[in-house]
Amino acid sequence: MSAQRTALDGGRWHLNHGPIDIVAEAHGDAAEVAAAHEHAWQRFRTILDELVGELPLLRQPVGAECALRGPIAQRMWRACAPFSAGFITPMAAVAGAVAQELIGCFDRPGIERAWLNNGGDIALHLAPGHSVRIGLFADLARFDPRDTGPLTTDGQFEIDAAMPVRGVATSGWRGRSFSLGIADSVTVLAATAAEADAAATVIANAVNVDDPGIHRLPANECKDDSDLGDLLVTRDVQTLAPAQVRRALDAGVACAQALQRVGLVWSVVLVCQGQWRMVQPLSSQGKTLPSQGTPTGAGGAVGSVFA
């Protein structure tokens, strides 16, 4: 199947090619916005084949040196390299790295702000003085695609141009990719979308505890070409004792704080079975606390960018 694009309301575009599914929006000078969307579309058409060409290497654990050639593949590797002491492949950052590649098309005079949402992993462009509000939908279990009414978010936070954040990503065991942990969702704000994607994967894996109510299978039994091989991935989590959930979240918070201390993340929201934690930014600049409601449930992704 070839790459497809569809115009959406509000001047947005939907780009799809195989597993890559993106919604793009930009604001600013109309001619510049149109030119940026066209540039992003032309780049998008080449991405899947570019990644498939290096897929065997992308599924290998990150090592001491990068043998990848393409700019997106190399970005994936660089985002995952800080975590190479454990098991991680560049695929942990694929969605964020793709979004980050395309947001570069909007970094041009006349574009005030733009966002690329790749299945919940978001790359941002913000000109000085501009900001976006991002909605957090933390409970995929309660999402009903038949509901055509307004989406009620679990929380919202604002990112302005002065903040060192241009990427937002979410990971968890209910999401599109496999997870080693039991987080329903871990949402990371970081300098880039690729870095946010890799960090969200690692922190979500760390939200974990031993409990007979957690059911796991080897990844290659769930998907025969999984880059995780025979690592055990979470397939179901029964209702756990609140103390167990707290222990799992404590482990995730400790991981998030360690990454924050070395500058790999800016802020993190962790959600598991109705409990949630917020790792606040070390700097007081900007406001990232959810401003509408609180995360109440499980396993979602960062969704829409609001005005």
Side-chain angles (χ1 to χ4, degrees), residues 75 79 96-97 100 122-124 164-169 188-198 264:
R75 182 178 297 120
Q100 188 177 331
I122 298 172
L124 301 169
V165 174
R166 295 297 183 269
V168 184
V188 170
L189 280 65
T192 70
E195 290 171 332
D197 196 2
L264 293 175

Side-chain angles (χ1 to χ4, degrees), residues 28-258:
D29 179 82
E32 291 296 333
V33 167
H37 276 303
E38 181 63 25
H39 185 196
W41 164 241
Q42 295 302 329
R43 179 66 179 102
F44 178 78
R45 295 171 64 187
T46 68
I47 286 176
L48 185 59
D49 289 344
E50 180 181 306
L51 293 176
V52 169
E54 298 199 74
L55 195 55
L57 278 177
L58 288 170
R59 287 176 169 165
Q60 295 299 312
V62 171
E65 296 183 3
C66 180
L68 297 160
R69 301 183 304 276
I72 299 175
Q74 290 180 354
R75 182 178 297 120
M76 293 162 62
W77 187 92
R78 289 194 301 270
C80 295
F83 311 109
S84 61
F87 181 91
I88 193 168
T89 77
M91 294 300 293
V94 60
V98 168
Q100 188 177 331
E101 176 74 7
L102 294 176
I103 202 65
C105 300
F106 297 84
D107 185 7
R108 55 196 294 158
I111 305 294
E112 298 170 351
R113 60 181 187 163
W115 56 273
L116 274 295
N117 186 336
N118 188 4
D121 294 337
I122 298 172
L124 301 169
H125 166 73
L126 295 172
H130 292 275
S131 65
V132 293
R133 284 189 297 125
I134 294 182
L136 174 64
F137 190 87
D139 187 1
L140 273 182
R142 66 176 175 80
F143 177 70
D144 186 350
R146 297 168 298 180
D147 186 358
T148 59
L151 181 67
T152 301
T153 58
D154 297 304
Q156 297 178 17
F157 48 88
E158 185 169 355
I159 298 172
D160 63 54
M163 295 167 58
V165 174
R166 295 297 183 269
V168 184
T170 298
S171 184
W173 78 270
R174 293 183 185 272
R176 296 186 302 172
S177 302
F178 294 142
S179 179
L180 310 185
I182 64 168
D184 293 323
S185 62
V186 168
T187 300
V188 170
L189 280 65
T192 70
E195 290 171 332
D197 196 2
T201 299
V202 170
I203 298 169
N205 286 343
V207 179
N208 210 354
V209 70
D210 290 329
D211 194 283
I214 302 169
H215 302 283
R216 295 184 169 93
L217 288 172
N220 53 16
E221 290 186 14
C222 305
K223 184 179 180 182
D224 56 11
D225 61 349
S226 173
D227 60 311
L228 299 179
D230 59 1
L231 285 177
L232 295 178
V233 296
T234 303
R235 304 306 294 155
D236 187 44
V237 184
Q238 298 176 8
T239 300
L240 304 180
Q244 287 285 72
V245 176
R246 288 195 295 272
R247 292 186 187 97
L249 285 171
D250 286 344
V253 167
C255 177
Q257 290 173 333

